[in-house]
Amino acid sequence: MGSDRNKLLLSLLGKPLIAWTLLAAEASRRIGWIGIVSQPDDWADLKEILAELSLTKPVQLIQGGATRQESVYNGLQALPVAAQQVLIHDGARCLATPDLLDRCAEAILSCPGLIAAVPVKDTIKIVDGSGLIEDTPDRRLLWAAQTPQAFDVQQLKQCHAQGREAGWEVTDDAALFEKCGLPVRIVAGEETNLKITTPQDLAIAEFILRGGLGESMYPKLPFGTSTPPS
């Protein structure tokens, strides 16, 4: 992103990115507890954001690790004792709707693990180190992974413990489940559920919110149409 601070603190239509993610979790009918896994350096800003949002659901700040995998492990240890299922969401996917969160939360009641994903539209090429194409996989079998990912809490804890013992390094929790031989199903994601990675993504997110998604998700918030420069 090229920012001088955590990108989740950058502004999107007057609110920090993480605020939009938290508003979606607050509006979800299925979510009862929220944990924000982050580094303590950001806690002062996060506490200020939480004070402004005045969420009705309990929120806990949890110290993150050196990797995503370690951060999720820390988050799992902080879950309420009664939690049986958990949604793991990337705060940078700030346009995930409450409906998507609820659909994942409902689907995880009948399976041990799932991820939100969308079918790949582009033709994908597998390329070797010299830039030559090695293969063209059938795109009908390809899905682009999103978050949230949802899991049975006890099974995910067991997978993380096994991964730590074996020294596995994975990029998401679904990969841990796969390594442990556990099934992970797909739940249809949302095309607008983009991950904010570059300044261009911020502009796209603003366009999406002003284009109707914001008003449908948060009818009490003001969403004006942007005026093109003269």
Side-chain angles (χ1 to χ4, degrees), residues 80-209:
V81 174
Q84 297 180 359
Q85 291 85 26
V86 62
L87 298 185
I88 299 169
H89 187 59
D90 188 337
R93 291 188 182 273
C94 57
L95 301 187
T97 65
D99 177 67
L100 175 60
L101 301 181
D102 284 337
R103 285 192 287 109
C104 290
E106 291 165 7
I108 196 57
L109 297 176
S110 58
C111 67
L114 62 83
I115 67 171
V118 293
V120 169
K121 294 186 176 71
D122 298 323
T123 297
I124 304 297
K125 302 292 185 180
I126 298 175
V127 181
D128 66 17
S130 65
L132 295 177
I133 294 173
E134 291 186 334
D135 195 14
T136 304
D138 185 349
R139 70 181 180 189
R140 292 174 297 178
L141 304 177
L142 300 177
W143 289 68
Q146 299 182 343
T147 63
Q149 301 188 355
F151 301 92
D152 174 90
V153 169
Q154 290 306 315
Q155 287 184 295
L156 184 57
K157 284 184 174 180
Q158 291 169 6
C159 289
H160 269 273
Q162 187 173 340
R164 287 165 70 90
E165 184 177 346
W168 295 338
E169 294 184 6
V170 296
T171 55
D172 70 359
D173 298 279
L176 265 181
F177 248 52
E178 294 163 28
K179 277 184 168 290
C180 292
L182 295 171
V184 181
R185 64 173 288 194
I186 291 292
V187 169
E190 297 169 334
E191 294 292 344
T192 52
N193 184 22
L194 77 160
K195 182 177 180 180
I196 305 298
T197 305
T198 68
Q200 290 76 17
D201 294 331
L202 265 179
I204 294 170
E206 179 176 341
F207 177 81
I208 291 171
L209 283 173

